[in-house]
Amino acid sequence: METKKDTILILSGGMDSVTLLYDYKERIALAISFDYGSNHNAKEIPFARLHCERLGIEHIVIPLDFMGKYFESSLLQGSEAIPEGHYADENMKSTVVPFRNGIMLSIAVGMAESRELQYVMMANHGGDHTIYPDCRPDFVAAFDAAAHAGTYNGVHLISPYTNITKGQIAARGKELGINYAETWSCYKGGDKHCGKCGTCVERKEALADAGIPDPTEYE
């Protein structure tokens, strides 16, 4: 029996969402990337497009220019503003883009209702909880309830990786045969991964935890 294509995936082009794309490829009808003016959007989005083309999944990019103009975040202020260190460090809070997931999910839910699709999916994980309020289980539950209540077809939010680590996601990617060289993590968005920002440190740890030789080219 063929799996129904009933889901929209928010796809950045990073390790987590690319893994989710392959993990649930049979049910993803559409993947959406958002260009919100971050340093690394230009690096991530081409990888999102590459994987969707490979899998034959429709992919669109929606611009959110206003976030770069009006929101305060080091992620929107150029590579020199990005702090170095581990995600657990206090200074990493500067990389929070206020309510980013809430905004993106709202658009995706509207798209799902417009296309009569039942689910929206995002790739938050357990390691995000410390820094990002809109990645935590209570946010996921609240947004799922709001999406279901606010749409005629009762759209639901699915976030399968909420309570697992990035290392466990990488291990799943290893099972799926994903080449993580075809993903982007670095918040600085240079020609190569910097190797020092929170996302680079987390990427290195996740690949090591999964027993995957790191294919990333670092500065």
Side-chain angles (χ1 to χ4, degrees), residues 125 164-172 202 205-207 209-212:
H125 62 81
I164 67 173
T165 67
K166 195 180 186 82
Q168 289 172 305
I169 294 171
R172 177 61 181 148
E202 186 186 49
E205 290 178 348
L207 292 168
D209 288 348
I212 300 171

Side-chain angles (χ1 to χ4, degrees), residues 5-163:
K5 297 266 188 181
D6 58 3
T7 301
I8 290 177
L9 170 67
I10 295 177
L11 179 66
S12 68
M15 287 179 63
D16 310 322
S17 64
V18 168
T19 304
L20 198 56
L21 177 73
Y22 281 86
D23 210 356
Y24 287 82
K25 63 184 180 183
E26 301 302 328
R27 62 185 297 181
I28 295 171
L30 171 68
I32 303 176
S33 299
F34 292 95
D35 187 351
Y36 57 97
S38 74
N39 303 323
H40 62 306
N41 270 161
K43 292 290 187 178
E44 282 186 318
I45 291 173
F47 284 126
R49 185 179 298 114
L50 168 75
H51 291 289
C52 286
E53 288 175 352
R54 186 174 291 164
L55 295 174
I57 292 171
E58 183 184 356
H59 176 244
I60 62 173
V61 180
I62 296 178
L64 299 177
D65 307 41
F66 70 90
M67 295 175 77
K69 292 177 183 177
Y70 302 118
F71 286 22
E72 288 297 323
S73 170
S74 63
L75 202 59
L76 305 171
Q77 295 170 354
S79 62
E80 66 282 350
I82 299 296
E84 295 179 353
H86 198 278
Y87 258 139
D89 297 343
E90 185 70 19
N91 66 349
M92 292 308 293
K93 285 185 179 179
S94 77
T95 64
V96 172
V97 178
F99 208 59
R100 174 179 58 181
N101 282 345
I103 293 165
M104 294 177 180
L105 286 168
S106 295
I107 294 168
V109 167
M111 289 284 291
E113 183 171 22
S114 296
R115 293 192 175 207
E116 298 183 342
L117 298 170
Q118 200 62 51
Y119 302 100
V120 168
M121 190 178 288
M122 72 170 180
N124 60 309
H125 62 81
D128 293 330
H129 300 173
T130 305
I131 296 295
Y132 300 111
D134 56 358
C135 287
R136 296 171 185 162
D138 55 348
F139 168 82
V140 172
F143 198 96
D144 172 56
H148 187 69
T151 51
Y152 276 116
N153 62 331
V155 175
H156 276 294
L157 171 60
I158 306 175
S159 51
Y161 298 159
T162 296
N163 294 308

